[in-house]
């Protein structure tokens, strides 16, 4: 199966580290429940994954395989031309230089990002030194606590997963070391590249096209910045969201249950990484039923959503209290969502900073141009009944995600983040891998005959 090993390595790395954070939290919970004064250990996750690998190998030797009911495209025997092999070699050299340069930046630079200093690395360093998950609480609680057994930071409510990803290699190292703690970030970039290439090959594109889109993604200046300045959580959220979207697109196209399982696990991983991840998780899960809708129902969905929003606005808003979740407020002047926050709604955004950061500052290369072109092309292909359910699902998700960004930066107080440039590039980074794969699927749908004619048997 083309792309199998890159897919397994890329997805395995990200899922493995996310599960590792859960194992660390499980250790801490068990120690607390049993009143044990024991230190967090790095090796239990190695034992768990080792047992899983041995179990899989045992089942394979006994003849057991995981089957997929979806039909496969038969492999083609056409080998790439000499000029294609030359371009493939050139892209591999460029990608190797890119990743090597980023790896050296991670190795040489001290801990630099502001968010790492104030949130992610602070918790990781304290947990690595104490070898226990010291609780982080709000400032008022911390000031009122006489024992001094807790700590406080401004973003104390944020999920602990990224801090645990940094703390785990430090626990294995035996002491806090900034370089060691930052190493998972270069692995995250490599996993994203492998996952994109593996899913692209599985989609049916040639090795040359797959590597070209990997290069388009890894060459994005903003993505490279978040790798080189290791310590931000946004790279992990972008990777988890992207890998989930890749898998979900495959499921919508071919019905492979393994892909939808990967998509759901990584969508849940988005919520483990950052509070914004909950929004992206909900949008991802929303396209699972939408993928089964026909063209007419797909057009009816946004129309119904607009009509419902208008009705809520005319009614003065609604309030719902959900058990274990909290209060949901949808109103003409306020939006409140459990686990995400409260936003005052008012039209106060400006296109000037958006245009500046997307097109003038060269943060995103060709991506701001490719996405609207792909959106128009997808609409035309949908009108011609081409592309199948994946085209409908991808177009719906892209439209919803970009609308969510528009709503955030043009209708809430977050517009100041766009003007200052403090968050707009981070939010767009979350979407970048998914958007790049979506552009690839539109490209493939529009040029399917040529791609099929150039696809080799093995790559």
């Amino acid at each position: 199966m083309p792309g199998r090993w890159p897919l397994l390595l890329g997805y395995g790395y990200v899922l493995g580290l996310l599960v590792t954070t859960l194992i660390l939290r499980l250790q801490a919970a068990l120690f607390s429940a049993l009143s044990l004064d024991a230190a967090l250990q790095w090796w239990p996750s190695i034992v768990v994954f080792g047992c899983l690998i041995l179990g899989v190998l045992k089942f394979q030797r006994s003849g057991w395989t995981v089957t997929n009911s979806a039909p496969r495209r038969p492999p083609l025997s056409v080998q790439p031309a000499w000029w294609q092999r030359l371009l493939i070699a050139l892209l591999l050299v460029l990608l190797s230089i890119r990743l090597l340069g980023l790896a050296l930046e991670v190795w040489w630079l001290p801990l630099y990002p502001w968010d790492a200093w104030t949130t992610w690395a602070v918790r990781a360093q304290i947990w690595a030194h104490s070898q226990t998950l010291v609780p982080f609480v709000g400032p008022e609680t911390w000031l009122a606590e006489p024992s001094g057994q807790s700590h406080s930071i401004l973003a104390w409510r944020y999920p602990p997963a990224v801090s645990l990803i940094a703390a785990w290699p430090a626990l294995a190292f035996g002491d806090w070391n900034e370089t060691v703690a930052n190493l998972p970030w270069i692995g995250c970039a490599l996993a994203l590249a492998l996952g994109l290439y593996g899913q692209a090959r599985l989609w049916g594109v040639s090795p040359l096209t797959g590597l070209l889109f990997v290069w388009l993604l890894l060459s994005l200046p903003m993505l490279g910045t978040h790798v080189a300045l290791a310590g931000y959580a946004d790279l992990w959220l972008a990777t988890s969201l992207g890998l989930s979207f890749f898998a979900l697109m495959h499921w919508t196209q071919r019905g492979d249950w393994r892909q939808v399982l990967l998509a759901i696990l990584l969508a849940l991983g988005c919520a483990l990484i950052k509070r914004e991840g909950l929004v992206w998780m909900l949008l991802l899960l929303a396209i699972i039923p939408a993928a089964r809708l026909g063209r007419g129902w797909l057009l009816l969905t946004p129309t119904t959503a607009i009509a419902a929003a208008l009705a809520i606005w005319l009614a003065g808003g609604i309030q719902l209290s959900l058990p274990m979740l909290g209060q949901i407020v949808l109103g003409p002047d306020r939006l409140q969502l459990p686990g995400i926050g409260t936003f005052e709604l008012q039209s106060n955004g400006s296109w000037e900073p958006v245009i500046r950061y997307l097109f003038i500052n060269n943060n995103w290369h060709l991506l701001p141009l490719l996405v609207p072109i792909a959106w128009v092309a997808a609409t035309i292909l949908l009108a011609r009944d081409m592309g199948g359910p994946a085209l409908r699902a991808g177009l719906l998700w892209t439209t919803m995600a970009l609308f969510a960004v528009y709503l955030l930066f043009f209708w809430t107080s977050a517009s100041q983040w766009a003007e200052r440039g403090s968050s707009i590039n981070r939010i767009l980074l979350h979407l970048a891998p998914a958007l790049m794969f979506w552009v690839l699927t539109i490209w493939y749908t529009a040029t399917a005959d040529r791609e099929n004619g150039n696809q080799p048997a093995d790559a």
Side-chain angles (χ1 to χ4, degrees), residues 191-206:
L192 177 60
L194 290 171
L196 175 58
Y197 180 77
Q199 294 285 30
R201 290 290 291 122
L202 192 59
W203 194 267
V205 305
S206 65

Side-chain angles (χ1 to χ4, degrees), residues 12-13 15-21 23 43-56 168:
Y13 178 84
L15 283 172
L17 279 178
L18 288 176
V19 172
T20 295
T21 67
I23 292 175
W43 53 262
S45 58
I46 302 296
V47 173
V48 171
F49 296 133
C51 293
L52 287 175
I53 292 172
L54 291 175
V56 170
W168 182 72

Side-chain angles (χ1 to χ4, degrees), residues 119-434:
T119 305
W120 310 112
V122 173
R123 296 188 299 188
Q125 185 174 7
I126 290 175
W127 291 339
H129 277 311
S130 64
Q131 294 187 326
T132 184
L133 295 190
V134 178
F136 280 78
V137 297
E140 297 82 3
T141 304
W142 176 72
L143 288 171
E145 184 184 13
S147 66
Q149 297 300 313
S150 63
H151 293 267
S152 181
I153 54 177
L154 186 61
W156 63 276
R157 287 190 178 92
Y158 266 72
V162 174
S163 298
L164 290 171
I165 288 173
W168 182 72
L171 289 171
F173 185 73
D175 195 8
W176 175 253
N177 183 284
E178 291 180 358
T179 300
V180 171
N182 288 342
L183 287 179
W185 268 255
I186 188 64
C188 183
L190 180 59
L192 177 60
L194 290 171
L196 175 58
Y197 180 77
Q199 294 285 30
R201 290 290 291 122
L202 192 59
W203 194 267
V205 305
S206 65
L208 177 58
T209 302
L211 286 173
L212 176 62
F213 275 86
V214 171
W215 168 250
L216 288 174
L217 179 60
L218 287 190
S219 65
L220 292 177
M222 188 53 60
L223 188 142
T225 298
H226 278 256
V227 179
L229 300 181
Y232 286 112
D234 303 280
L235 177 67
W236 292 98
L237 183 51
T239 300
S240 186
L241 174 63
L243 294 179
S244 179
F245 181 79
F246 306 163
L248 198 54
M249 288 289 285
H250 270 284
W251 172 76
T252 60
Q253 187 74 352
R254 299 187 178 93
D256 190 338
W257 66 268
R258 297 168 297 184
Q259 293 281 8
V260 75
L261 178 61
L262 288 174
I264 292 174
L265 290 175
L266 285 159
L268 295 174
C270 292
L272 291 176
I273 293 170
K274 213 173 179 185
R275 293 172 68 182
E276 298 93 310
L278 182 60
V279 176
W280 305 134
M281 180 194 75
L282 294 175
L283 289 182
L284 277 171
L285 298 180
I287 70 170
I288 292 179
R292 300 310 181 197
L293 298 177
R295 284 188 299 170
W297 285 102
L298 186 65
L299 294 174
L300 184 62
T301 300
T303 304
T304 305
I306 294 173
L310 182 60
I312 291 173
W313 182 79
L314 292 175
I318 60 173
Q319 295 187 14
L320 299 174
S321 294
L322 301 180
M324 301 180 64
L325 292 179
Q327 192 175 51
I328 296 177
V329 178
L330 303 176
D333 58 352
R334 187 161 65 104
L335 178 64
Q336 179 178 333
L337 299 174
I340 300 173
T342 302
F343 300 93
E344 301 298 328
L345 299 179
Q346 55 181 341
S347 178
N348 54 5
S350 170
W351 283 102
E352 187 276 330
V354 176
I355 294 174
R356 171 158 37 97
Y357 289 113
L358 283 178
F359 297 99
I360 298 176
N361 287 3
N362 197 29
N363 292 324
W364 300 102
H365 281 178
L366 298 175
L367 189 60
L369 299 175
L370 292 175
V371 170
I373 293 173
W375 196 92
V376 173
T379 305
I380 295 173
L381 292 170
L382 181 63
R384 295 180 177 179
D385 200 18
M386 298 174 61
L391 178 69
R392 298 193 293 271
L395 181 60
L396 179 62
W397 180 86
T398 302
T399 303
M400 291 192 304
L402 294 179
F403 178 76
V405 174
Y406 168 76
L407 183 66
L408 176 67
F409 290 118
F410 284 84
W411 289 89
T412 74
S413 59
S415 60
Q416 61 182 322
W417 303 344
E419 294 171 0
R420 298 173 184 172
S422 59
S423 291
I424 183 172
N425 286 313
R426 299 193 206 179
I427 297 296
L428 294 174
L429 178 63
H430 300 167
L431 307 180

